[in-house]
Each structure stands twice: as structure tokens, then as C-alpha cells.
Amino acid sequence: MKTYSTAEEKEKALLVVVLTKKGESKNRKTDEITRLALSTDLEVEGVFSQNVKDFNRATVIGSGKVDEIAEYLKQHPVDVVVVDYKLTGSQIKNLSKEFDTRVIDRVGLILDIFARGAKTNEAKLQVRLAQNLYNLPKLADMQGTSGRFGNGGVGMRGPGETKLELNRRLLEKEIDMLKKEIAKIKERRQVNRREREKNRIKRIALVGYTNAGKSSLLNALTRENIYADDKYFATLDTTSRKLYLDGETVMITDTVGFISELPHELVDAFASTLEEAKDADLILHVVDPTATSLTDDKEKYYIESMRVTNKVLDDIGATQNRLVVYNKIDLINDEFELKANEIAVSATKKIGLDQLKIKIKEMLV
Ligand SMILES: Nc1nc2c(ncn2[C@@H]2O[C@H](COP(=O)(O)OP(=O)(O)OP(=O)(O)O)[C@@H](O)[C@H]2O)c(=O)[nH]1
Ligand SMILES: [Mg+2]
């Protein structure tokens, strides 16, 4: 499998937040796209936002805003403009022409983070499949843009970097090939799973919004040393470890984090990984109740992130018991009210882990 280099120098980016839904929080959206940009090592030069009422088919944002941004870019040139919206190929083409800069959308940015982070063969195949699924419908419309701003860089990186030049048939063929490869890995996984079922080893899946602390919790519970980091999508591979619960051994699996508007290309490509969550005996839904806006401390994000996670779980048909684990309580001073099937812990300060294990055991029988 081809590997890909990450940029040595930080690229500069201008972010464009697009608000289309009523009641959508500008702070939350700005914060999230900023964190995504930082997670792929972009330097954020500025942020523009627009409430889009009259949807402009050619450029999504209105022509006045397009001009304003183009003017700004003349004074503050950047390497890439990131539009926090799902763009079509022709919208990307139109906007890059207006801005005279490479343009990528939210999905392209998320795929870039994944392309950087994929370590195992399976994750690489999945990212490559996701990139191909993403590029395929854009192929015809984007003809001519990719050469213009050179190869490499955010949004151009990784397994799919030259795909725009390839013709559709080649791309489709590769998609087929990748799906087959991934299916083979999935089969192997199922054999392992059946093996475990024979041995009646119960399985727990850690799921939740990106950066909630899933990997840290797995480390704390199993004294492991899995990569955890304060950036989005630190984990792209599922890792399973043994967890000892007072006389019983279970398997606990770390999974890829969720995010709002998780690109369907990624959901499709990572389906076999998500199945780990679907087939577990118990789901630990890890929540970071301290996640707040960079700009407004009072705004709590976790309600929305819980909604997103629950929706993905419902969408993949995960119907088993869910235990909500509020993490990072070392950062909380106030009383934290807990409902049934909710527990509060700190993975890094190791608070509440014994109670968590007791609760897991209770819920597994
Ligand atoms: N203060 C505090 N920080 C924590 C705690 N648990 C995790 N963190 C920090 O939160 C950040 C994210 O933790 P991860 O374990 O990488 O989160 P994750 O859910 O695995 O994230 P992704 O893999 O990106 O989806 C890291 O910087 C951790 O050190 C905790 O209990 N308290
Ligand atoms: Mg992780």
C-alpha cells in the first residue's frame, strides 16, 4: 500500500462556516471546524461565516460574501479555503476560481485527518475507499482543478491524491477491489468473533464523540498505552484488550470517534469497524461534559454530541444496552446529576473506575 507524506510546513487556511439550519449555533460550528483544521495541522488565518437563506447553487454562499472573501484573500493569501459544508464538484471548482485558491469542503477535511491518521492496513484501505467514494461523483466536474494548485497538501493528500486524473472506470474498479479487500478482513474478524462467542467472552465497545476520552479510558481500565491526544480523530483503528472484572474476563474495544455530519463515505467505508460496536454486548457511551466553545465558555456541547452519537448508533442498528460514561469529571467543580445507566469518571485521574467496573459487570449479566 502506498503511503503518503504529510506537509512539513503548516499550510494556511481560511475557514468558511455555512449556517443553513434554524437554531444552529455559530459558535459550535466555528469551534468544531477550527478544531478539525487544527487536527490536520492547518494554521487558521481567519474565519468567515454566513447565514445562508437563499441557497446559491453555484457557490452555496451568496455572491456578496464570495466577493468579500476574495477581497480578503488578496490581502491575506492562504493555501486552502475550507468550506464547512458538503460541496459538489462544480461548487468546489467555482469557488476555487473565485478565490484563486484550492478549496476543500468539510468532508474533504475530515478525510484528510483520516488519511494522516490511518496506521493499520485495514484503516488505510477504509480511508482509501472513503476517498474514492468521495471523489467519484466529483470526478467530471473537478476536471482541471487538481493540477492547478499542485499536488499534495490538505485535501489532496493520501491514498486518493491522483484519483481525479484517473478515469471513472479505473476508480470504480479500485472501489470494487477495496471493498473486496475490506470484506476479507471483515471475514477474518468474524471468525475471531465466533471464536470468542464459543468461549463466551463478552464484549464491550467504547463509543462516543471524538476527543471524549475513549482511548484514555481504555488505557486507564486496562493499563494499556494506546495513543490518546487532544485532537479530533486520534483513533482510527479499533483496538481490543482484555479487561478483568472481579473474576470475569471481557474484551473491551476502542473505536473511531463520531462527529456531527459524519460523512456517509466514512460510515460506509468504516462499516466493518462500526460493526464492532454493533455486535458488542454492552456499549459504553463516553461523553466529555466539559467540552465547551473556544469562544463562549457557557455553551455546553455535550448534549449535541450525545445526540449525534446516539443517532449513529441507531443508524447502524446497535440496540444493546448503553451505559453513559461522563468522563473528565476532574475538571468539573459543580455537582453532576446522574440518571439511571449513567456514571461519572476521570480516565486520566483514575476517578470512579472501580464503580465503573462494577456497573459494567451488573449490566453484562
Ligand atoms: N482532564 C482530563 N482529560 C482527559 C481525561 N480523559 C481524557 N482526557 C484528555 O482528552 C483528550 C482526548 O482523549 P482521547 O482518549 O484521545 O479521546 P478519544 O475519545 O479517544 O478521541 P478520538 O480517538 O479522537 O475519537 C486527551 O488530551 C486526553 O488526555 C480525563 O479524565 N480528564
Ligand atoms: Mg481515541
Side-chain angles (χ1 to χ4, degrees):
M1 166 95 14
K2 194 164 57 174
T3 50
Y4 26 84
S5 62
T6 48
E8 295 291 320
E9 266 178 40
K10 284 198 175 188
E11 286 187 280
K12 274 193 194 162
L14 181 84
L15 312 181
V16 182
V17 175
V18 183
L19 299 156
T20 52
K21 295 181 208 118
K22 236 181 150 180
E24 220 170 16
S25 159
K26 181 175 150 189
N27 276 346
R28 185 189 150 83
K29 292 214 75 164
T30 305
D31 186 55
E32 189 162 278
I33 193 73
T34 304
R35 290 195 196 213
L36 282 169
L38 298 178
S39 296
T40 193
D41 258 355
L42 285 171
E43 198 176 293
V44 177
E45 174 74 25
V47 184
F48 280 78
S49 68
Q50 189 178 42
N51 263 309
V52 172
K53 284 191 206 81
D54 303 313
F55 188 79
N56 183 328
R57 226 182 236 208
T59 53
V60 177
I61 48 175
S63 58
K65 192 56 103 183
V66 170
D67 291 344
E68 191 188 327
I69 294 171
E71 254 335 284
Y72 176 91
L73 286 171
K74 279 185 197 150
Q75 308 302 321
H76 310 85
V78 298
D79 300 292
V80 61
V81 175
V82 180
V83 181
D84 188 13
Y85 198 76
K86 194 174 164 77
L87 302 173
T88 64
S90 64
Q91 285 161 351
I92 288 180
K93 191 172 180 174
N94 295 336
L95 285 169
S96 17
K97 211 164 135 201
E98 296 281 355
F99 297 153
D100 195 25
T101 308
R102 182 153 46 90
V103 171
I104 63 169
D105 68 357
R106 177 187 176 85
V107 184
L109 182 64
I110 292 176
L111 286 173
D112 193 83
I113 301 176
F114 274 68
R116 276 173 178 247
K119 297 274 182 319
T120 61
N121 188 40
E122 181 179 21
K124 283 181 188 172
L125 291 170
Q126 288 173 324
V127 172
R128 189 159 172 160
L129 174 60
Q131 287 185 319
N132 285 352
L133 291 172
Y134 171 73
N135 283 329
L136 189 63
K138 294 189 166 52
L139 207 58
D141 286 333
M142 295 225 357
Q143 221 55 278
T145 45
S146 61
R148 216 167 130 211
F149 304 109
N151 270 328
V154 169
M156 312 291 285
R157 177 185 349 267
E161 65 197 339
T162 57
K163 290 303 166 290
L164 295 181
E165 278 81 47
L166 287 181
N167 70 39
R168 200 179 178 86
R169 255 187 41 215
L170 275 178
L171 202 53
E172 279 167 349
K173 225 169 127 182
E174 191 177 272
I175 288 175
D176 260 3
M177 188 273 287
L178 288 165
K179 281 185 176 163
K180 280 190 192 122
E181 287 281 315
I182 292 169
K184 265 191 238 156
I185 297 175
K186 183 177 158 181
E187 218 164 276
R188 243 175 284 148
R189 208 200 276 282
Q190 265 164 354
V191 171
N192 288 343
R193 204 176 290 159
R194 275 197 291 273
E195 202 59 36
R196 280 195 303 247
E197 270 155 22
K198 246 189 359 220
N199 300 329
R200 295 180 152 261
I201 297 178
K202 296 226 168 97
R203 292 184 317 115
I204 302 165
L206 289 160
V207 302
Y209 217 68
T210 180
N211 212 44
K214 300 175 292 297
S215 302
S216 304
L217 192 57
L218 183 110
N219 288 340
L221 285 169
T222 64
R223 302 199 180 83
E224 264 296 333
N225 199 8
I226 287 162
Y227 177 57
D229 196 356
D230 191 17
K231 64 175 201 175
Y232 281 1
F233 301 115
T235 304
L236 294 174
D237 307 304
T238 55
T239 315
S240 299
R241 288 289 177 271
K242 279 183 182 152
L243 171 65
Y244 302 101
L245 296 171
D246 185 32
E248 191 178 352
T249 304
V250 298
M251 291 302 281
I252 184 161
T253 303
D254 188 15
T255 62
V256 178
F258 299 160
I259 195 158
S260 55
E261 297 156 68
L262 193 71
H264 74 85
E265 293 90 345
L266 278 176
V267 177
D268 292 351
F270 280 75
S272 66
T273 306
L274 291 172
E275 250 164 51
E276 283 289 319
K278 191 180 145 188
D279 292 346
D281 298 289
L282 173 67
I283 285 179
L284 299 191
H285 177 176
V286 185
V287 178
D288 174 5
T290 71
T292 49
S293 158
L294 294 172
T295 39
D296 179 0
D297 259 342
K298 283 177 212 63
E299 207 173 330
K300 292 277 181 267
Y301 284 0
Y302 71 96
I303 309 275
E304 171 67 7
S305 67
M306 286 176 83
R307 196 192 58 74
V308 168
T309 303
N310 282 323
K311 177 152 193 321
V312 179
L313 289 174
D314 292 343
D315 286 352
I316 63 170
T319 54
Q320 63 278 69
N321 279 339
R322 293 176 202 170
L323 172 62
V324 173
V325 183
Y326 292 108
N327 185 31
K328 312 194 188 181
I329 52 153
D330 53 296
L331 301 174
I332 295 182
N333 296 319
D334 311 333
E335 277 293 298
F336 201 78
E337 219 177 284
L338 295 170
K339 298 196 205 89
N341 289 350
E342 291 187 347
I343 196 162
V345 304
S346 165
T348 50
K349 293 282 184 304
K350 308 214 182 329
I351 303 168
L353 299 181
D354 288 336
Q355 290 94 308
L356 173 60
K357 286 190 194 171
I358 292 169
K359 188 87 186 166
I360 292 174
K361 207 165 174 208
E362 266 172 33
M363 290 185 75
L364 273 177
V365 289

